[in-house]
Amino acid sequence: MAVREKVFDVIISCFKRHGAEVIDTPVFELKETLTGKYGEDSKLIYDLKDQGGELLSLRYDLTVPFARYLAMNKLTNIKRYHIAKVYRRDNPAMTRGRYREFYQCDFDIAGQFDPMIPDAECLKIICELLSSLQIGDFLVKVNDRRILDGMFAVCGVPDSKFRTICSSVDKLDKVSWEEVKNEMVEEKGLAPEVADRIGDYVQQHGGVSLVEQLLQDPKLSQSKQALEGLGDLNLLFEYLTLFGIADKISFDLSLARGLDYYTGVIYEAVLLQTPVQPGEETLGVGSVAAGGRYDGLVGMFDPKGRKVPCVGLSIGVERIFSIVEQRLEALEEKVRTTETQVLVASAQKKLLEERLKLIAELWDAGIKAELLYKKNPKLLNQLQYCEEAGIPLVAIIGEQELKDGVIKLRSVASREEVDVRREDLVEEIKRRTSQPLLN
Amino acid sequence: MAVREKVFDVIISCFKRHGAEVIDTPVFELKETLTGKYGEDSKLIYDLKDQGGELLSLRYDLTVPFARYLAMNKLTNIKRYHIAKVYRRDNPAMTRGRYREFYQCDFDIAGQFDPMIPDAECLKIICELLSSLQIGDFLVKVNDRRILDGMFAVCGVPDSKFRTICSSVDKLDKVSWEEVKNEMVEEKGLAPEVADRIGDYVQQHGGVSLVEQLLQDPKLSQSKQALEGLGDLNLLFEYLTLFGIADKISFDLSLARGLDYYTGVIYEAVLLQTPVQPGEETLGVGSVAAGGRYDGLVGMFDPKGRKVPCVGLSIGVERIFSIVEQRLEALEEKVRTTETQVLVASAQKKLLEERLKLIAELWDAGIKAELLYKKNPKLLNQLQYCEEAGIPLVAIIGEQELKDGVIKLRSVASREEVDVRREDLVEEIKRRTSQPLLN
């Protein structure tokens, strides 16, 4: 939880920096809202028991509830983030950060705007986040559904096979082109020469120069869809250059993304190397952020089919938790689970009343303070507790101190002790702990 | 959500001030974990559909999952808070802050400690929280299950009727003694003279002097249980006086609390007056915080029945949201839903590229900034957006400014504009927005 809090702090402050408000939706949706949105993965949806009333399911992601929310509240324009848990009846893989209940962190921009400006901001956010999380070097692959569809068309894929061939292409980050081609031809009945034509395209990746090259491509330029997609990517790269992140972006024709609802630009961020110490097992973490444009989803929930164009991103935060946790373990860095600044302790017996009076003063002044819940704790036990819990300071009350009107303030790390006048204690503790305890 | 965030900030910083760590548990538990813990209210539990695998239910509160978690992980000692949603198949009452999905904010101290020190800290936390939330004057009623049971025994209530008579007593905050007595006698078959004896006790409330008086009570002092409870309350009041909160606490013999699992001290905070403007409808919000000691619950989940004594509190945060929201509405105070510090705007056409460059500089420097997603927005529209969204500053780029190497910084409230050298812009924005935007 301490690691999670650190990661969420970084993510939330980035989303707020980009002017997003936060919304929340219920953990369950009407079952019908989720039906037909996730293709084959629908079998992974958790349903609630029919106990009377509406039929409900636990949310599978945050995008479909967001689209439902926009349509239901007739919102045509919002920039929001949403951090919440989603549910999938899947086989968990703990080390890879895959669970049945897991967090998603989504940022989306809904509304009719001039092309590629919000899309570029989404990519900027991904770059800012992955940089500030310091989880290693990364690359953001970019493609466009219209380019993929145009490419399938000019290669000779029948319309009815676009989605299933798209799924095959999507596997190229895990398996070789030979295997993907084999699936296309043997399992999905594509002619070998059609598959080869696809292969020529999907093995290409590069920067804006590849966009320009493909705009001149004699075959691909025959597809109006592909031209639209390429034109938008050209504009996108212009904006990404102005944002100073073009070097982090790779136009990759093999990027397909699983979900059906994307209609334009799609992207996926991958770590280039896993940030573990030499000799350790590397993490198979795959993509750490992804998203794209989905202009049709909100219309599916509107009775009149009114469309609200959307573009967004989702951070693979469970994977990031795993990486940060393993990195901290590798560094043998102990993460504090509390933020306590001072333990109120006593040097002799019969001082519980004095400890209670002092700790109330500290709490009331906003100091994070603890005491041991014992009438007469030994000083050694109190100091040991500080060591274990990482509490940096001890305020020690003794009979002599009470007479003198002072408190002995001890630094746990240096073991130095100084007498501080009681009326100066709060300021002195604040001064000594003004550095954030969690960096 | 903006109101929620403010309230959560206050609550979390209080819990951290008291040295609590945060834990999380899944939204669903094994069905059997929840069975037999909530008495009659068990019918309000949401079950998941049997899709193979374990039978699951949505959590009903955070206390039972916490006890399950302690037993499962063999923890004997922890101070934790947990803020999460719980689920009840209830009839919602929106204006009173009652929903089917709602937040609970729990703080609990588990472990074997010297008597009444953690209990006193829980009451201190309730007082700190309700004071800092500024939702009006409050009182915390305190009682002890052992005093109630002892009282029932000496009044002549048969053992088998303790719990059901306890439920009747619990209604005294809503209905008169006459009605409660009627229920005891007519519905629950208690002899009228037994009911009258109970009535003599439960209509009493006061401070530590009432504790002392009851310790001398010829009847009640015959009950060993009652004497234990009264002795602990005496000690508790001593600690509450040291904490400076004794005047907020009322020993109230009519406080019974619904849940079965309490074993010792119980408490409930109520608002003395609802903080609305004169002439407005008052809020029927009832209790805003409650809790108590439950020393037997963890043992129910341990295979060997090992007990872990616990004491805790739960904040009725949905009710507090309602109160804060209505107060803000009454004050016609507009709550900002974003924290954007500056809008990057342009005075002329064809300056999108310049806006993108500038906003990236601001984001990279940690400034919360937005721009309109239009190629050539009108200045007036940009200024209007700031008014609507409550953005305090506008950084305006114009051709002259570009030539001069400056940015025009405009205060939305005062309409004053000054030219700021581009390299000084970040510092100037930080300086002007250093006050927290959300107080």
Side-chain angles (χ1 to χ4, degrees), chain A residues 360-405:
Chain A
E361 281 174 38
L362 297 179
W363 285 332
D364 293 342
I367 300 289
K368 295 168 190 153
E370 286 183 74
L371 50 69
L372 295 201
Y373 301 125
K374 271 179 87 75
K375 256 183 112 71
N376 295 308
K378 288 183 183 145
L379 185 58
L380 189 65
N381 291 347
Q382 297 175 85
L383 297 178
Q384 264 171 355
Y385 180 78
C386 291
E387 299 268 5
E388 284 158 20
I391 300 172
L393 296 172
V394 198
I396 305 173
I397 309 173
E399 276 156 23
Q400 190 58 46
E401 285 80 10
L402 283 173
K403 273 182 210 141
D404 299 347

Short mmCIF file of all heavy atoms in Angstrom, two decimals, chain A residues 360-405:
data_model
loop_
_atom_site.label_atom_id
_atom_site.label_comp_id
_atom_site.label_asym_id
_atom_site.label_seq_id
_atom_site.Cartn_x
_atom_site.Cartn_y
_atom_site.Cartn_z
N ALA A 360 -1.41 14.67 23.24
CA ALA A 360 -2.59 15.44 22.82
C ALA A 360 -2.17 16.82 22.33
O ALA A 360 -2.68 17.33 21.32
CB ALA A 360 -3.59 15.55 23.96
N GLU A 361 -1.21 17.43 23.02
CA GLU A 361 -0.68 18.74 22.56
C GLU A 361 -0.10 18.61 21.16
O GLU A 361 -0.30 19.47 20.30
CB GLU A 361 0.44 19.22 23.50
CG GLU A 361 -0.03 19.83 24.81
CD GLU A 361 1.15 20.14 25.74
OE1 GLU A 361 2.22 20.57 25.24
OE2 GLU A 361 0.99 19.92 26.95
N LEU A 362 0.67 17.53 20.94
CA LEU A 362 1.31 17.35 19.63
C LEU A 362 0.27 17.09 18.54
O LEU A 362 0.31 17.69 17.46
CB LEU A 362 2.33 16.21 19.69
CG LEU A 362 3.52 16.42 20.64
CD1 LEU A 362 4.43 15.20 20.63
CD2 LEU A 362 4.31 17.67 20.27
N TRP A 363 -0.68 16.19 18.80
CA TRP A 363 -1.73 15.93 17.81
C TRP A 363 -2.46 17.22 17.47
O TRP A 363 -2.71 17.51 16.29
CB TRP A 363 -2.74 14.91 18.36
CG TRP A 363 -2.24 13.49 18.37
CD1 TRP A 363 -1.32 12.92 17.54
CD2 TRP A 363 -2.66 12.44 19.27
NE1 TRP A 363 -1.14 11.60 17.87
CE2 TRP A 363 -1.95 11.28 18.93
CE3 TRP A 363 -3.57 12.37 20.33
CZ2 TRP A 363 -2.12 10.05 19.59
CZ3 TRP A 363 -3.73 11.16 20.99
CH2 TRP A 363 -3.02 10.02 20.63
N ASP A 364 -2.82 17.99 18.48
CA ASP A 364 -3.58 19.21 18.26
C ASP A 364 -2.78 20.22 17.44
O ASP A 364 -3.35 21.09 16.78
CB ASP A 364 -4.05 19.83 19.58
CG ASP A 364 -5.09 18.93 20.29
OD1 ASP A 364 -5.67 18.07 19.60
OD2 ASP A 364 -5.30 19.08 21.50
N ALA A 365 -1.45 20.10 17.49
CA ALA A 365 -0.60 21.00 16.70
C ALA A 365 -0.27 20.39 15.33
O ALA A 365 0.53 20.94 14.59
CB ALA A 365 0.68 21.29 17.46
N GLY A 366 -0.90 19.25 15.01
CA GLY A 366 -0.70 18.67 13.68
C GLY A 366 0.52 17.77 13.56
O GLY A 366 0.89 17.37 12.46
N ILE A 367 1.15 17.43 14.67
CA ILE A 367 2.33 16.54 14.63
C ILE A 367 1.84 15.09 14.59
O ILE A 367 0.91 14.71 15.30
CB ILE A 367 3.21 16.75 15.88
CG1 ILE A 367 3.71 18.20 15.96
CG2 ILE A 367 4.37 15.75 15.93
CD1 ILE A 367 4.73 18.57 14.94
N LYS A 368 2.51 14.29 13.76
CA LYS A 368 2.17 12.86 13.69
C LYS A 368 2.91 12.13 14.81
O LYS A 368 4.14 12.03 14.77
CB LYS A 368 2.57 12.29 12.34
CG LYS A 368 1.78 12.90 11.20
CD LYS A 368 2.38 12.54 9.86
CE LYS A 368 1.71 13.35 8.76
NZ LYS A 368 2.60 13.55 7.61
N ALA A 369 2.17 11.67 15.80
CA ALA A 369 2.80 11.15 17.01
C ALA A 369 2.15 9.86 17.47
O ALA A 369 0.96 9.64 17.26
CB ALA A 369 2.72 12.19 18.12
N GLU A 370 2.96 9.00 18.07
CA GLU A 370 2.46 7.76 18.66
C GLU A 370 2.99 7.62 20.08
O GLU A 370 3.98 8.26 20.45
CB GLU A 370 2.94 6.55 17.85
CG GLU A 370 2.23 6.34 16.54
CD GLU A 370 2.71 5.06 15.85
OE1 GLU A 370 2.35 3.96 16.29
OE2 GLU A 370 3.48 5.17 14.87
N LEU A 371 2.35 6.73 20.84
CA LEU A 371 2.91 6.30 22.12
C LEU A 371 2.63 4.81 22.24
O LEU A 371 1.79 4.27 21.54
CB LEU A 371 2.31 7.07 23.31
CG LEU A 371 0.80 7.21 23.47
CD1 LEU A 371 0.11 5.92 23.82
CD2 LEU A 371 0.50 8.21 24.59
N LEU A 372 3.37 4.13 23.09
CA LEU A 372 3.06 2.72 23.34
C LEU A 372 1.86 2.65 24.29
O LEU A 372 1.79 3.41 25.25
CB LEU A 372 4.26 1.99 23.96
CG LEU A 372 5.52 1.84 23.10
CD1 LEU A 372 6.38 0.69 23.62
CD2 LEU A 372 5.21 1.60 21.63
N TYR A 373 0.94 1.72 23.98
CA TYR A 373 -0.28 1.61 24.78
C TYR A 373 -0.03 0.78 26.05
O TYR A 373 -0.71 -0.21 26.30
CB TYR A 373 -1.39 0.94 23.97
CG TYR A 373 -1.76 1.68 22.69
CD1 TYR A 373 -1.73 1.03 21.47
CD2 TYR A 373 -2.16 3.01 22.72
CE1 TYR A 373 -2.08 1.69 20.30
CE2 TYR A 373 -2.51 3.68 21.56
CZ TYR A 373 -2.47 3.02 20.36
OH TYR A 373 -2.81 3.67 19.20
N LYS A 374 0.99 1.19 26.81
CA LYS A 374 1.30 0.50 28.06
C LYS A 374 1.40 1.55 29.16
O LYS A 374 1.85 2.67 28.92
CB LYS A 374 2.64 -0.23 27.95
CG LYS A 374 2.56 -1.65 27.43
CD LYS A 374 3.93 -2.29 27.34
CE LYS A 374 4.35 -2.93 28.64
NZ LYS A 374 3.67 -4.21 28.93
N LYS A 375 1.02 1.15 30.37
CA LYS A 375 1.08 2.10 31.49
C LYS A 375 2.54 2.47 31.79
O LYS A 375 2.87 3.64 31.92
CB LYS A 375 0.46 1.47 32.74
CG LYS A 375 -0.93 2.00 33.06
CD LYS A 375 -1.49 1.42 34.34
CE LYS A 375 -1.60 2.46 35.44
NZ LYS A 375 -2.65 3.47 35.23
N ASN A 376 3.39 1.46 31.85
CA ASN A 376 4.78 1.69 32.24
C ASN A 376 5.75 0.99 31.29
O ASN A 376 6.39 0.01 31.67
CB ASN A 376 5.01 1.19 33.68
CG ASN A 376 4.19 1.99 34.68
OD1 ASN A 376 4.24 3.22 34.70
ND2 ASN A 376 3.42 1.30 35.50
N PRO A 377 5.88 1.46 30.07
CA PRO A 377 6.78 0.79 29.14
C PRO A 377 8.24 1.08 29.49
O PRO A 377 8.56 2.13 30.05
CB PRO A 377 6.42 1.43 27.80
CG PRO A 377 5.92 2.78 28.15
CD PRO A 377 5.27 2.66 29.50
N LYS A 378 9.11 0.11 29.18
CA LYS A 378 10.54 0.35 29.37
C LYS A 378 11.06 1.28 28.28
O LYS A 378 10.62 1.18 27.13
CB LYS A 378 11.30 -0.97 29.30
CG LYS A 378 11.05 -1.84 30.52
CD LYS A 378 11.88 -3.11 30.47
CE LYS A 378 11.54 -3.98 31.66
NZ LYS A 378 11.58 -5.42 31.33
N LEU A 379 12.04 2.13 28.64
CA LEU A 379 12.58 3.07 27.64
C LEU A 379 13.17 2.31 26.46
O LEU A 379 12.96 2.69 25.30
CB LEU A 379 13.63 3.99 28.28
CG LEU A 379 14.16 5.09 27.34
CD1 LEU A 379 13.04 5.98 26.81
CD2 LEU A 379 15.21 5.95 28.04
N LEU A 380 13.87 1.21 26.76
CA LEU A 380 14.49 0.43 25.69
C LEU A 380 13.44 -0.07 24.69
O LEU A 380 13.65 0.00 23.47
CB LEU A 380 15.25 -0.76 26.30
CG LEU A 380 16.12 -1.53 25.31
CD1 LEU A 380 17.26 -0.66 24.79
CD2 LEU A 380 16.69 -2.80 25.95
N ASN A 381 12.29 -0.54 25.18
CA ASN A 381 11.24 -1.03 24.29
C ASN A 381 10.69 0.10 23.42
O ASN A 381 10.35 -0.10 22.26
CB ASN A 381 10.09 -1.63 25.10
CG ASN A 381 10.50 -2.92 25.77
OD1 ASN A 381 11.55 -3.49 25.44
ND2 ASN A 381 9.72 -3.39 26.72
N GLN A 382 10.62 1.27 24.01
CA GLN A 382 10.11 2.42 23.25
C GLN A 382 11.09 2.80 22.15
O GLN A 382 10.70 3.10 21.02
CB GLN A 382 9.84 3.60 24.20
CG GLN A 382 8.77 3.26 25.23
CD GLN A 382 8.58 4.37 26.27
OE1 GLN A 382 7.84 5.31 26.04
NE2 GLN A 382 9.26 4.25 27.39
N LEU A 383 12.38 2.75 22.46
CA LEU A 383 13.38 3.09 21.45
C LEU A 383 13.41 2.01 20.35
O LEU A 383 13.52 2.33 19.17
CB LEU A 383 14.77 3.23 22.09
CG LEU A 383 14.90 4.37 23.11
CD1 LEU A 383 16.29 4.39 23.72
CD2 LEU A 383 14.57 5.73 22.46
N GLN A 384 13.28 0.74 20.75
CA GLN A 384 13.24 -0.34 19.76
C GLN A 384 12.06 -0.18 18.80
O GLN A 384 12.18 -0.42 17.61
CB GLN A 384 13.12 -1.69 20.47
CG GLN A 384 14.47 -2.36 20.66
CD GLN A 384 14.38 -3.58 21.56
OE1 GLN A 384 13.32 -3.88 22.12
NE2 GLN A 384 15.49 -4.27 21.71
N TYR A 385 10.91 0.21 19.35
CA TYR A 385 9.73 0.42 18.51
C TYR A 385 10.03 1.46 17.42
O TYR A 385 9.65 1.30 16.26
CB TYR A 385 8.54 0.85 19.36
CG TYR A 385 7.28 1.08 18.57
CD1 TYR A 385 6.50 0.01 18.13
CD2 TYR A 385 6.88 2.36 18.21
CE1 TYR A 385 5.36 0.21 17.37
CE2 TYR A 385 5.73 2.57 17.46
CZ TYR A 385 4.98 1.49 17.04
OH TYR A 385 3.86 1.70 16.28
N CYS A 386 10.74 2.52 17.80
CA CYS A 386 11.09 3.57 16.83
C CYS A 386 11.98 3.00 15.72
O CYS A 386 11.80 3.32 14.54
CB CYS A 386 11.81 4.72 17.51
SG CYS A 386 10.73 5.66 18.58
N GLU A 387 12.95 2.20 16.12
CA GLU A 387 13.85 1.59 15.13
C GLU A 387 13.05 0.77 14.12
O GLU A 387 13.22 0.89 12.91
CB GLU A 387 14.87 0.66 15.82
CG GLU A 387 15.79 1.33 16.81
CD GLU A 387 17.10 1.80 16.19
OE1 GLU A 387 17.25 1.69 14.96
OE2 GLU A 387 17.96 2.29 16.95
N GLU A 388 12.16 -0.07 14.66
CA GLU A 388 11.39 -0.96 13.79
C GLU A 388 10.45 -0.19 12.87
O GLU A 388 10.31 -0.52 11.69
CB GLU A 388 10.55 -1.94 14.64
CG GLU A 388 11.39 -3.06 15.23
CD GLU A 388 10.71 -3.67 16.46
OE1 GLU A 388 9.49 -3.51 16.61
OE2 GLU A 388 11.44 -4.29 17.27
N ALA A 389 9.81 0.83 13.41
CA ALA A 389 8.80 1.54 12.63
C ALA A 389 9.40 2.70 11.84
O ALA A 389 8.68 3.37 11.10
CB ALA A 389 7.70 2.06 13.56
N GLY A 390 10.70 2.94 12.00
CA GLY A 390 11.33 4.03 11.25
C GLY A 390 10.95 5.41 11.74
O GLY A 390 11.03 6.39 10.99
N ILE A 391 10.53 5.52 12.99
CA ILE A 391 10.16 6.83 13.54
C ILE A 391 11.44 7.60 13.86
O ILE A 391 12.30 7.09 14.59
CB ILE A 391 9.30 6.65 14.82
CG1 ILE A 391 8.02 5.87 14.48
CG2 ILE A 391 8.97 8.00 15.47
CD1 ILE A 391 7.20 5.47 15.68
N PRO A 392 11.61 8.81 13.32
CA PRO A 392 12.90 9.48 13.44
C PRO A 392 13.19 10.13 14.79
O PRO A 392 14.35 10.31 15.14
CB PRO A 392 12.86 10.54 12.34
CG PRO A 392 11.41 10.81 12.10
CD PRO A 392 10.69 9.54 12.41
N LEU A 393 12.15 10.50 15.54
CA LEU A 393 12.37 11.26 16.77
C LEU A 393 11.65 10.64 17.97
O LEU A 393 10.60 10.01 17.81
CB LEU A 393 11.87 12.70 16.61
CG LEU A 393 12.56 13.58 15.56
CD1 LEU A 393 11.80 14.89 15.40
CD2 LEU A 393 14.01 13.84 15.96
N VAL A 394 12.22 10.83 19.17
CA VAL A 394 11.56 10.42 20.40
C VAL A 394 11.50 11.63 21.33
O VAL A 394 12.51 12.30 21.54
CB VAL A 394 12.35 9.30 21.13
CG1 VAL A 394 11.45 8.60 22.14
CG2 VAL A 394 12.94 8.31 20.15
N ALA A 395 10.32 11.90 21.85
CA ALA A 395 10.17 12.96 22.86
C ALA A 395 10.07 12.28 24.21
O ALA A 395 9.09 11.60 24.49
CB ALA A 395 8.91 13.78 22.58
N ILE A 396 11.13 12.42 25.01
CA ILE A 396 11.21 11.66 26.25
C ILE A 396 10.86 12.55 27.45
O ILE A 396 11.45 13.62 27.64
CB ILE A 396 12.61 11.06 26.44
CG1 ILE A 396 12.98 10.21 25.21
CG2 ILE A 396 12.67 10.20 27.71
CD1 ILE A 396 14.42 9.71 25.21
N ILE A 397 9.89 12.07 28.24
CA ILE A 397 9.51 12.77 29.47
C ILE A 397 10.13 12.03 30.65
O ILE A 397 10.04 10.80 30.73
CB ILE A 397 7.98 12.76 29.66
CG1 ILE A 397 7.26 13.25 28.40
CG2 ILE A 397 7.58 13.61 30.86
CD1 ILE A 397 5.76 13.11 28.49
N GLY A 398 10.77 12.77 31.54
CA GLY A 398 11.28 12.18 32.78
C GLY A 398 10.94 13.13 33.91
O GLY A 398 10.48 14.26 33.68
N GLU A 399 11.18 12.68 35.15
CA GLU A 399 10.80 13.53 36.28
C GLU A 399 11.59 14.83 36.29
O GLU A 399 11.06 15.90 36.56
CB GLU A 399 10.98 12.76 37.59
CG GLU A 399 9.76 11.89 37.88
CD GLU A 399 10.07 10.71 38.78
OE1 GLU A 399 11.07 10.77 39.52
OE2 GLU A 399 9.32 9.71 38.72
N GLN A 400 12.90 14.72 35.97
CA GLN A 400 13.73 15.92 35.95
C GLN A 400 13.25 16.90 34.87
O GLN A 400 13.14 18.10 35.10
CB GLN A 400 15.21 15.53 35.69
CG GLN A 400 16.19 16.67 35.89
CD GLN A 400 16.10 17.24 37.31
OE1 GLN A 400 16.06 16.50 38.30
NE2 GLN A 400 16.03 18.56 37.43
N GLU A 401 12.94 16.35 33.68
CA GLU A 401 12.45 17.19 32.58
C GLU A 401 11.17 17.93 32.99
O GLU A 401 10.99 19.11 32.67
CB GLU A 401 12.18 16.35 31.32
CG GLU A 401 13.43 15.90 30.57
CD GLU A 401 14.12 14.70 31.20
OE1 GLU A 401 13.53 14.08 32.11
OE2 GLU A 401 15.26 14.39 30.78
N LEU A 402 10.28 17.21 33.67
CA LEU A 402 9.03 17.84 34.10
C LEU A 402 9.32 19.02 35.02
O LEU A 402 8.71 20.08 34.88
CB LEU A 402 8.14 16.82 34.81
CG LEU A 402 7.40 15.84 33.90
CD1 LEU A 402 6.68 14.79 34.73
CD2 LEU A 402 6.41 16.59 33.00
N LYS A 403 10.26 18.82 35.95
CA LYS A 403 10.63 19.90 36.87
C LYS A 403 11.19 21.09 36.10
O LYS A 403 10.89 22.24 36.39
CB LYS A 403 11.68 19.41 37.87
CG LYS A 403 11.05 18.76 39.10
CD LYS A 403 12.14 18.34 40.09
CE LYS A 403 11.69 17.12 40.89
NZ LYS A 403 12.79 16.17 41.12
N ASP A 404 12.03 20.79 35.09
CA ASP A 404 12.72 21.85 34.35
C ASP A 404 11.86 22.47 33.25
O ASP A 404 12.30 23.42 32.59
CB ASP A 404 14.01 21.30 33.73
CG ASP A 404 14.99 20.79 34.79
OD1 ASP A 404 14.77 21.09 35.98
OD2 ASP A 404 15.96 20.10 34.41
N GLY A 405 10.68 21.90 33.01
CA GLY A 405 9.84 22.43 31.93
C GLY A 405 10.39 22.14 30.54
O GLY A 405 10.16 22.92 29.61
#
